[in-house]
Amino acid sequence: MLNGQKRWLYIAVPIFFFWFFGQIDKVGISIIQTDPEFLNALGMTGDDKNAKIGLLSFVFTIAYGVSNLFWGFIIDKLGARKTAIAGLFVWTLTMIMSGLANSYEMFLISRIILGFGEGMMIPVSGKFISNWFNKRELGRAQASWISGNYLGPATGAIVLVLVISLLHWQAAFFMLAAFNLFINIPMFIFMTRNTPEEHPRLSKDELAFIRQSDDEEKEIPPSEKKSFVQDYRFWIVWFGMLVCSFLFFGISIWLPTYLIEAKGFEKEGMSSITSLSWLFALGFVLACGFLADKTKRPSLMASILFSLTAVFLTVAVFIPDPIMAGLCMGLAMGCQGGVFHLSNMLMVKYSTPETAGRAAGLIGFTNIMGGFSSYIMGWLRDLSGGDFSTSIAMLIFAAILGLGAYIFSIKREAAALHLSPLPAQKIQV
């Protein structure tokens, strides 16, 4: 059954759980910050409480974004496997530290360390995908791990609410540490290798398929191939990811608070819509993974997604019905999940297996904008007495900027598709 498909087991499965649990670590704070006991225990009260809450995500994403650059070079030198194991140990320890925190300052430090530990996730995933999958299946390969990126929080939102209700907010962090220690780390140790050539259980036929270049690549002499840093399309993707990170973190970090404080939901309703929002993102990822491989029009798809994001956010501001407003916010977040997937797919396309770690590090650096988004939204809420309208208007403007960036690459993409028809599937494995 797995003959010729073992790359999906040895690489796609570990990376899926890598992101499934890792993303709960990152965005679980959006659920935990709605717990009054957590806020009181760490002193997040008073007129500036929203700015303090936003600062938690700000310092995390700054550390996360900056460390992506560092990890990108380390991965190209040491390989994705060792880097992933090291990062997993770091963030396991920070989850324990977060659960033991008894002051706002200590918790803030734990978020900074967590950001550095998890900063290797995008470079690790990009490196594995670049090394282990044929160019014609990048969309599906990327979707296999990005699915964990959204399915994890969709499940985690309900689980975290349940754990906090039955036990304590500290128990949520200890649970997340256990997931990494007993599931993620063993999977990377026993299942993965840096390259398919190193794996003892991979067939020669599957290796040959992975290393087969498509017709378009063969037409370009090696001397004429540009580095990804010289390709303007890479920098369009990079800017698009800056905007995507600003939008995605701004919506996802504040969505639970928005539902409770602005729309009057109880915790059960909040967790349901929050989980559904992450499932929207998962749906967009799966659809984009399939359509990107079939249509070869990822830039056009990203443009459409940015347009839809602006529309959904605008509807959320003006529609009076709380459920519809919450769903529109979730759909806007889902659209950016699709952009995130397309951006990572294009990153692998514009780089090589040798430079994929550095390219992914630059893409991962864009997460730094998520910190600015979460903090600015908290600051704007404090200025406006807790109202979300100004913050959402800022997000709408950001979506328009993302649309403007991708418009520049649509014509080039269409021309390239016209000149190079889709290659036939010559090999079935």
Side-chain angles (χ1 to χ4, degrees):
M1 180 173 163
L2 287 174
N3 186 34
Q5 303 290 337
K6 289 184 178 179
R7 61 195 179 279
W8 297 97
L9 172 64
Y10 297 141
I11 299 300
V13 171
I15 294 180
F16 171 83
F17 284 104
F18 185 50
W19 281 87
F20 183 89
F21 294 119
Q23 194 68 359
I24 300 177
D25 288 354
K26 289 203 287 290
V27 304
I29 189 64
S30 68
I31 300 294
I32 297 171
Q33 74 189 26
T34 65
D35 180 44
E37 189 174 349
F38 168 74
L39 298 176
N40 291 329
L42 298 184
M44 284 181 279
T45 57
D47 294 337
D48 63 343
K49 80 166 190 175
N50 291 303
K52 284 184 175 180
I53 293 172
L55 186 61
L56 294 177
S57 296
F58 176 76
V59 297
F60 168 82
T61 50
I62 295 295
Y64 184 86
V66 171
S67 67
N68 266 268
L69 300 175
F70 164 77
W71 285 117
F73 284 95
I74 296 298
I75 289 167
D76 283 337
K77 297 295 183 181
L78 297 182
R81 181 170 176 260
K82 288 182 180 179
T83 306
I85 294 169
L88 282 164
F89 274 112
V90 170
W91 95 48
T92 299
L93 292 175
T94 58
M95 285 293 101
I96 297 173
M97 181 180 175
S98 297
L100 296 175
N102 55 14
S103 69
Y104 179 75
E105 291 73 20
M106 181 178 177
F107 192 84
L108 200 66
I109 292 172
S110 74
R111 300 304 292 178
I112 296 173
I113 300 173
L114 177 65
F116 278 106
E118 291 194 353
M120 48 78 197
M121 293 181 72
I122 292 178
V124 161
S125 302
K127 189 74 169 180
F128 271 128
I129 296 298
S130 181
N131 280 333
W132 274 83
F133 293 90
N134 185 277
K135 290 287 185 182
R136 295 200 297 271
E137 56 187 6
L138 290 181
R140 284 166 289 161
Q142 291 284 11
S144 68
W145 65 264
I146 296 179
S147 298
N149 187 37
Y150 302 118
L151 188 59
T155 306
I158 297 173
V159 172
L160 288 174
V161 168
L162 185 62
V163 169
I164 293 170
S165 300
L166 295 178
L167 299 172
H168 194 268
W169 64 266
Q170 293 170 316
F173 289 105
F174 297 144
M175 177 189 70
L176 293 173
F179 286 150
N180 287 326
L181 189 60
F182 297 111
I183 298 178
N184 275 339
I185 292 176
M187 291 187 84
F188 275 95
I189 291 175
F190 296 111
M191 294 179 68
T192 67
R193 296 294 186 273
N194 287 326
T195 65
E197 287 84 356
E198 298 174 21
H199 208 292
R201 289 182 291 277
L202 204 72
S203 70
K204 292 182 179 179
D205 288 341
E206 186 168 1
L207 176 60
F209 174 76
I210 293 170
R211 293 294 178 238
Q212 181 193 30
S213 298
D214 62 28
D215 297 335
E216 182 181 347
E217 276 197 345
K218 289 179 180 178
E219 293 174 0
I220 304 175
S223 60
E224 296 181 16
K225 289 185 178 180
K226 294 181 179 179
S227 167
F228 70 90
V229 296
Q230 298 174 293
D231 192 333
Y232 81 94
R233 296 173 300 172
F234 174 84
W235 294 108
I236 288 176
V237 174
W238 187 83
F239 180 79
M241 267 297 292
L242 277 179
V243 177
C244 177
S245 297
F246 191 86
L247 287 163
F248 191 84
F249 277 92
I251 298 171
S252 63
I253 293 297
W254 283 103
L255 181 59
T257 304
Y258 168 82
L259 294 171
I260 289 176
E261 297 187 7
K263 297 301 176 182
F265 283 87
E266 299 294 332
K267 284 202 171 183
E268 292 77 10
M270 174 273 290
S271 64
S272 297
I273 290 188
T274 300
S275 293
L276 186 60
S277 299
W278 287 99
L279 290 176
F280 285 153
L282 174 61
F284 277 103
V285 165
L286 296 176
C288 288
F290 175 79
L291 292 174
D293 284 342
K294 293 295 182 182
T295 68
K296 304 297 182 183
R297 297 299 305 270
S299 295
L300 176 61
M301 292 167 62
S303 301
I304 294 171
L305 291 173
F306 273 120
S307 301
L308 289 174
T309 300
V311 171
F312 286 132
L313 290 174
T314 302
V315 173
V317 171
F318 292 104
I319 196 167
D321 183 75
I323 294 178
M324 291 303 299
L327 290 176
C328 284
M329 291 290 288
L331 286 167
M333 191 176 95
C335 287
Q336 291 308 300
V339 174
F340 179 79
H341 167 61
L342 294 170
S343 299
N344 280 276
M345 188 197 76
L346 289 168
M347 176 275 300
V348 175
K349 178 180 178 181
Y350 298 146
S351 63
T352 65
E354 294 74 26
T355 61
R358 278 164 281 176
L362 282 169
I363 291 292
F365 175 77
T366 62
N367 282 278
I368 199 170
M369 293 303 294
F372 286 100
S373 177
S374 61
Y375 181 73
I376 292 171
M377 286 184 70
W379 176 69
L380 288 174
R381 285 198 69 212
D382 286 334
L383 286 181
S384 58
D387 185 66
F388 273 94
S389 298
T390 307
S391 299
I392 297 176
M394 175 185 68
L395 297 179
I396 295 170
F397 178 73
I400 295 171
L401 288 179
L403 170 62
Y406 268 98
I407 283 176
F408 287 102
S409 62
I410 291 177
K411 185 176 181 180
R412 170 78 178 269
E413 182 180 76
L417 184 63
H418 178 71
L419 292 174
S420 300
L422 297 180
Q425 286 292 114
K426 298 177 181 177
I427 295 180
Q428 299 293 328
V429 295

